[in-house]
């Protein structure tokens, strides 16, 4: 069982930046693909970004390319999401997720989830 704990959410003004982190309990963390998803009020959960176990491959939602960057530190069992040039429409609960191997962009493909962290972008 992989336990995931997100941190770093908060309130930021439009144009600002936030860095989310997710700490994982799994000893074999480097064998897990990690991803970030988000869910805004009244909307379905949507894919943000994913990263392979080695960190060598990443994948982003088209609408977020250039503003968001996913990275991981396998020595520390953490995955991060750097969010720049934030917009009010980025307001959502952000979730960290894990699956054993294989880059995927659908939430059904991920087996383990954190509790989420709220990001609010004010205009």
């Amino acid at each position: 069982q992989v336990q995931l704990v997100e941190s770093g959410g908060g309130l930021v003004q439009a144009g600002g930046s936030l860095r989310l982190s997710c700490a994982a309990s799994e000893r074999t963390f480097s064998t897990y693909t990690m991803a970030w998803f988000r869910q805004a009020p009244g909307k379905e959960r949507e894919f943000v970004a994913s990263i392979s176990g080695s960190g060598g491959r990443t994948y982003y939602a088209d609408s977020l390319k250039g503003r968001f960057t996913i990275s991981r530190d396998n020595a520390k069992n953490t995955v991060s999401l750097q969010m720049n040039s934030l917009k009010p429409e980025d307001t959502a609960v952000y979730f960290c997720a894990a699956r054993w191997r294989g880059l995927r962009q659908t939430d059904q493909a991920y087996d383990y989830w954190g509790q989420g962290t709220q990001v609010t972008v004010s205009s």
Side-chain angles (χ1 to χ4, degrees), residues 6-8 19 35 39 43 50 53 66 68 74 76 97 99 114 120:
E6 302 98 334
S7 61
R19 186 177 181 87
Q39 188 167 20
K43 295 187 177 181
S50 59
F68 288 16
N74 286 344
K76 297 181 178 179
R99 60 169 277 115
T120 303

Side-chain angles (χ1 to χ4, degrees), residues 15-30:
S17 299
L18 274 178
R19 186 177 181 87
L20 306 182
S21 293
C22 173
S25 64
E26 179 56 42
R27 290 185 299 111
T28 58
F29 179 69
S30 63

Side-chain angles (χ1 to χ4, degrees), residues 86-102:
L86 283 163
K87 305 174 181 180
E89 52 264 43
D90 293 320
T91 295
V93 177
Y94 284 72
F95 297 91
C96 174
R99 60 169 277 115
W100 191 74
R101 300 188 184 276

